[in-house]
Amino acid sequence: MASREIEALANALARLPGLGPRSARRAVLHLMKKRENALQPLLAALQTVSEKLSTCSTCGNVDTSDPCSICADPRRDETMLCVVEEVSDLWALDRSRLFPGRYHVLGGRLSALEGVRPEDLTIDRLVARVSNGGTDEVVLAMNATLEGQTTAHYVAERLEKFPVRLSQLAHGLPVGGELDYLDEGTLAQALRARRPVA
Amino acid sequence: MASREIEALANALARLPGLGPRSARRAVLHLMKKRENALQPLLAALQTVSEKLSTCSTCGNVDTSDPCSICADPRRDETMLCVVEEVSDLWALDRSRLFPGRYHVLGGRLSALEGVRPEDLTIDRLVARVSNGGTDEVVLAMNATLEGQTTAHYVAERLEKFPVRLSQLAHGLPVGGELDYLDEGTLAQALRARRPVA
């Protein structure tokens, strides 16, 4: 249909999550039609990110600077640390703008099945961060999956000996959740963690 | 959340058709995680296309060479010419691999409402191509819209005086179309153009 170069671009775009072969072709056409307003800005943005991309040596976030923009932000509460599995979890939490502290990205979750052991994650680095002092509270924000909770349990054990408060995200009904559609596990958690009506 | 550079990349991706702000962020994370396998190939492909992108001076297709890969292909039947409104129409038709000839992209459709006049399209260039001889058939493949059909009518009038066969795409039921769900216009066209059962 089109030249090899255009096919290559369509293929590269089609590998992005959320774009299939058909929408990738539409995107290519869009880019070629709007050369100044779409192709050039995307190219420039990709180039900048590609040049500057780095993993924060403190928290494990990916950003265009090291330390990352969160670790470098003086308005962030240094005494609070939120531990997450992946960078995508950090982004999701930070979009809510509700956590004023800093983060620690483990880089995955413990999994016997996938052969992920504690030394494959950045747990040692987390322990070192906490042992340096200055941290009052560590929020364990792993996924509410078996592996996420196993990881949280393991991290909690490793941090027990330090004078920090350990907490974890509440489990229960999601906003808008209808009892009829929720699984028994969620309902059990919500019932067990029920709170007195104020 | 992330640095200005990453936000810029997310914004550039979010402007692609088929990607919203949420999926653009997912795409950015994917690109940053798979630096070698996703970010670099996409960057290289965009760069190549950006450098080589050109509009075919013969048919109006966008490609990485001029003449475009279709006009330059000696296996294409030079005696057949298919006239389309936009480059995306050319691509859609050519994906079907059913048309063995070459194309002519008008660059739009006549529209009193949007102020698009014949001189805003490449109709003069089409007439010149046909008047040069060598063309046996011109297929008018405009959209089955009021403006598309007006454009087809106008182009047909301009080509009347040349010794070429003029044809247009058949109108009728789309494959998989259920009568119950089709509009009256389509049904009327299908009925009017009914063919004897062989």
Side-chain angles (χ1 to χ4, degrees), chain A residues 113-134:
Chain A
L113 217 65
E114 293 168 31
V116 181
R117 295 154 308 165
E119 53 267 40
D120 298 323
L121 307 179
T122 63
I123 296 176
D124 285 342
R125 224 199 292 163
L126 171 64
V127 173
R129 271 181 94 175
V130 172
S131 72
N132 283 341

Side-chain angles (χ1 to χ4, degrees), chain B residues 129-151:
Chain B
R129 271 181 93 175
V130 172
S131 72
N132 283 342
T135 309
D136 289 339
E137 180 177 357
V138 175
V139 183
L140 302 174
M142 284 71 164
N143 288 329
T145 57
L146 182 62
E147 290 171 342
Q149 295 306 301
T150 307
T151 311

Side-chain angles (χ1 to χ4, degrees), chain A residues 9 35 39-40 43, chain B residues 45-53 64:
Chain A
L9 177 56
R35 198 171 171 173
L39 200 153
Q40 291 309 335
L43 179 57
Chain B
L46 262 179
Q47 233 153 2
T48 312
V49 168
S50 166
E51 279 159 20
K52 297 194 176 178
L53 193 62
T64 49

Side-chain angles (χ1 to χ4, degrees), chain A residues 143-160:
Chain A
N143 289 329
T145 58
L146 183 63
E147 290 170 342
Q149 295 305 303
T150 307
T151 310
H153 194 78
Y154 178 83
V155 170
E157 267 185 358
R158 290 285 301 272
L159 294 177
E160 244 174 17

